[in-house]
């Protein structure tokens, strides 16, 4: 009689189980490239805010310029054009973008007095953020330095670090209305410096740079053979008749890369429709441009429905002008927030000329803050208001925060009233 083989189900899988346990015990770590990458606008304090919302708390979010969340709708004609073109949007577009969108951007450069731009100089992206990272990836090698403002929009610092470069922060001077300190910028240029980033209008301060300052920056770039990167995404969110000059209008002989999009000027953050323009002196940049083309092709294309919004937005009625004019909703809310913030003891704020933000200062003698992220987390826990600490924008001292003034006026009064109450408690707690 043939012997029957019995399978021992208890002991047979022993070796695979041990292998699985060994694998599970080995931590999977993030890339070392992320060691210096930080984006606190959606950082740890926001994670805690989401937990609190899950627990049933209502959080007043003044941390991000997400216009739709505050009732700022994108123009209806933009929405309708996207809907009409959905049947044409299922396939990939040209890697640089559809012709109509790029043609509209080209016409916009002419309105901004930027010379020498043609269709092939324009790249459409999934918002400006994607294009910033693309521009840095195409340029930087390990050890290359890029001058970035302090404070800055933190994606710029993160993109430089992620691309293997070293962000070097030049100071913007609060005492001069947050204008760049040209001498500080000059002092930070080294043989490794490749480029200067200019954020104008500036996020988070709301400053708009005059032509005299822009010309000095162009001269520095010219003198040291540097590339200029200009983030101009708020160039229509301007108050009290302030005018914006595109950096590229003043830098015809310097390679200049301009970034703009629909997110803020046209209240279309979620459509992810931005553009990058290569302008100025391109004669010696063909290899870099080839790198940009390669990266644009690798991501295939930007989302096509969002691209169909660009021509209509740039060529249509500019409803942003009504919002920022005297009596317009954005203008009223900026004025109210600025007055309420400056009325708090020990708090001062330069009045923003543009954007959706202000960057108030906390007097360190009255508010002896050591860790401003912990300070913002404490405010969240006690008053259910979410802000972003100043160091999240690469400001070197823990004495500022960014406030978004997008909520309706009654909500702004409530939110800033809570901030004032927390600060009063903080002063008493620390005996100041």
């Amino acid at each position: 009689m043939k012997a029957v083989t019995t399978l021992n189900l208890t002991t047979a899988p022993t070796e695979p189980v041990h292998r699985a346990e060994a694998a599970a015990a080995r931590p999977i770590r993030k890339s070392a490239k992320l060691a210096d990458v930080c984006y606190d606008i959606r950082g740890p304090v926001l994670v805690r805010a989401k937990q609190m919302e899950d627990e049933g708390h209502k959080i007043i979010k003044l941390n991000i310029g997400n216009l739709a969340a505050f009732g700022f709708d994108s123009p209806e004609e933009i929405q309708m054009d996207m809907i009409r073109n959905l049947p044409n949007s299922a396939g990939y577009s040209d890697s640089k973008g559809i012709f109509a969108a790029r043609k509209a951007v080209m016409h916009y450069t002419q309105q901004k007095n930027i010379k020498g731009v043609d269709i092939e100089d324009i790249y459409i992206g999934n918002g400006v953020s994607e294009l910033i990272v693309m521009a840095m990836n195409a340029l930087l090698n390990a050890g290359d330095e890029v001058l970035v403002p302090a404070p800055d929009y933190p994606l710029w610092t993160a993109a430089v670090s992620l691309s293997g470069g070293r962000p070097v922060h030049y100071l913007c001077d609060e005492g001069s209305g947050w204008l760049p300190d040209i001498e500080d910028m000059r002092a930070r240029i080294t043989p490794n410096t490749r480029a200067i980033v200019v954020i104008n209008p500036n996020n988070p301060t709301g400053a708009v740079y005059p032509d005299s300052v822009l010309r000095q920056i162009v001269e520095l770039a010219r003198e040291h053979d540097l590339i200029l990167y200009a983030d101009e995404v708020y160039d229509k969110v301007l108050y009290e008749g302030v005018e914006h000059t595109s950096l590229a209008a003043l830098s015809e002989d310097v390679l200049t890369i301009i970034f703009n999009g629909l997110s803020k000027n046209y209240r279309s953050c979620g459509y992810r429709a931005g553009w990058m323009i290569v302008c100025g002196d391109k004669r010696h940049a063909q290899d870099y441009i080839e790198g940009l083309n390669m990266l644009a092709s690798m991501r295939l294309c930007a989302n096509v429905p969002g691209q169909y919004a660009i021509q209509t937005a740039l060529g249509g009625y500019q409803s942003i002008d009504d919002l920022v004019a005297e009596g317009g909703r954005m203008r009223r809310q900026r004025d109210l927030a600025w007055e309420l913030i400056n009325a708090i003891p020990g708090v001062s704020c330069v009045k923003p000329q543009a954007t959706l933000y202000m960057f108030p200062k906390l007097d360190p003698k009255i508010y002896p803050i050591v860790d401003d992220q912990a300070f913002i987390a404490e405010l969240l826990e006690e008053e259910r208001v979410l802000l972003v600490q100043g160091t999240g924008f690469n400001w070197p001292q823990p004495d500022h925060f960014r406030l978004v003034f997008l909520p309706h006026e009654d909500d702004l009064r409530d939110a800033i009233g809570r901030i004032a109450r927390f600060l009063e408690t903080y002063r008493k707690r620390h005996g100041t």
Side-chain angles (χ1 to χ4, degrees):
M1 184 173 170
K2 198 170 182 181
V4 178
T5 302
T6 304
L7 179 64
N8 187 334
L9 296 176
T10 305
T11 58
T14 300
E15 187 177 351
V17 167
H18 286 168
R19 286 178 180 169
E21 287 175 351
R26 193 165 54 241
I28 301 173
R29 302 191 181 280
K30 66 185 177 186
S31 166
K33 296 193 296 291
L34 293 170
D36 297 317
V37 173
C38 178
Y39 191 77
D40 279 346
I41 293 173
R42 292 193 174 190
V45 182
L46 177 62
V47 172
R48 175 57 186 147
K50 288 182 176 179
Q51 291 172 348
M52 293 171 69
E53 285 183 318
D54 292 341
E55 294 165 3
H57 299 287
K58 182 180 179 182
I59 307 299
I60 302 175
K61 296 178 181 177
L62 306 182
N63 65 309
I64 192 166
N66 186 17
L67 290 107
F70 299 98
F72 288 96
D73 297 327
S74 62
E76 187 175 354
E77 62 267 26
I78 293 178
Q79 299 177 35
M80 293 308 299
D81 256 24
M82 289 178 66
I83 292 169
R84 290 191 188 99
N85 282 286
L86 277 177
N88 307 319
S89 303
Y92 296 129
S93 74
D94 183 283
S95 60
K96 288 186 178 181
I98 64 173
F99 179 83
R102 293 158 71 201
K103 187 77 170 180
V105 172
M106 189 181 79
H107 288 158
Y108 187 62
T109 66
Q110 294 165 3
Q111 296 170 28
K112 300 287 285 187
N113 297 315
I114 303 170
K115 298 179 181 178
V117 175
D118 65 31
I119 289 290
E120 291 306 312
D121 298 322
I122 298 165
Y123 300 74
I124 307 298
N126 294 299
V128 168
S129 301
E130 178 188 52
L131 296 167
I132 289 172
V133 174
M134 183 189 300
M136 295 298 100
N137 280 340
L139 178 72
L140 297 176
N141 294 309
D144 287 346
E145 297 175 356
V146 176
L147 298 189
V148 181
D152 73 334
Y153 177 57
L155 179 69
W156 278 104
T157 294
V160 172
S161 295
L162 186 63
S163 301
R166 176 173 173 259
V168 177
H169 293 98
Y170 64 86
L171 291 176
C172 296
D173 181 10
E174 189 169 15
S176 66
W178 288 116
L179 296 182
D181 184 329
I182 301 298
E183 291 311 309
D184 186 71
M185 186 185 293
R186 185 190 306 277
R188 297 178 189 276
I189 296 174
T190 75
N192 294 325
T193 306
R194 300 293 309 280
I196 301 173
V197 173
V198 178
I199 304 174
N200 176 43
N202 185 265
N203 173 9
T205 67
V208 179
Y209 303 160
D211 288 8
S212 58
V213 170
L214 296 176
R215 290 183 191 280
Q216 290 180 76
I217 296 172
V218 172
E219 180 56 36
L220 272 182
R222 182 182 295 121
E223 179 183 344
H224 295 277
D225 194 23
L226 304 177
I227 303 170
L228 291 169
Y229 291 98
D231 182 342
E232 299 180 350
V233 75
Y234 294 93
D235 69 337
K236 289 181 177 291
V237 189
L238 308 169
Y239 305 105
E240 297 169 319
V242 170
E243 295 186 1
H244 174 267
T245 299
S246 176
L247 189 64
L250 306 174
S251 60
E252 291 180 47
D253 61 335
V254 175
L255 181 65
T256 305
I257 318 294
I258 301 295
F259 300 85
N260 211 324
L262 301 188
S263 290
K264 310 303 181 179
N265 292 335
Y266 299 94
R267 288 88 66 204
S268 301
C269 299
Y271 295 170
R272 308 313 299 138
W275 54 85
M276 174 175 70
I277 309 162
V278 180
C279 43
D281 187 354
K282 300 183 281 283
R283 290 175 300 171
H284 305 295
Q286 292 310 306
D287 195 55
Y288 174 56
I289 292 170
E290 182 181 329
L292 292 175
N293 293 341
M294 184 185 303
L295 292 174
S297 297
M298 285 170 61
R299 54 91 204 238
L300 296 176
C301 68
N303 84 86
V304 178
Q307 294 187 53
Y308 277 107
I310 293 174
Q311 182 180 32
T312 302
L314 293 180
Y317 180 71
Q318 302 300 298
S319 54
I320 185 65
D321 294 340
D322 299 328
L323 292 168
V324 300
E326 186 173 2
R329 183 181 163 191
M330 284 184 181
R331 170 77 174 272
R332 294 197 316 269
Q333 290 171 192
R334 181 208 62 159
D335 292 346
L336 175 63
W338 183 74
E339 290 169 7
L340 293 174
I341 280 291
N342 279 288
I344 302 173
V347 182
S348 60
C349 184
V350 176
K351 196 170 192 177
Q353 299 175 298
T355 76
L356 318 171
Y357 319 104
M358 53 187 61
F359 200 58
K361 179 178 181 178
L362 298 162
D363 186 337
K365 295 178 181 177
I366 298 176
Y367 306 102
I369 302 166
V370 176
D371 182 341
D372 59 351
Q373 185 178 86
F375 175 84
I376 292 299
E378 196 175 332
L379 168 64
L380 172 67
E381 295 287 348
E382 294 190 18
E383 293 293 345
R384 309 295 189 259
V385 177
L386 179 60
L387 301 172
V388 182
Q389 70 276 9
T391 56
F393 299 93
N394 295 293
W395 182 247
Q397 302 298 327
D399 58 0
H400 283 74
F401 62 88
R402 191 185 75 167
L403 181 146
V404 175
F405 52 81
L406 288 174
H408 282 285
E409 290 163 270
D410 287 346
D411 295 326
L412 272 177
R413 290 182 189 277
D414 179 23
I416 298 176
R418 295 185 189 202
I419 294 169
R421 185 168 61 201
F422 172 76
L423 291 174
E424 182 179 3
T425 302
Y426 187 92
R427 292 200 312 271
K428 290 177 180 177
R429 192 178 295 154
H430 291 82
T432 58

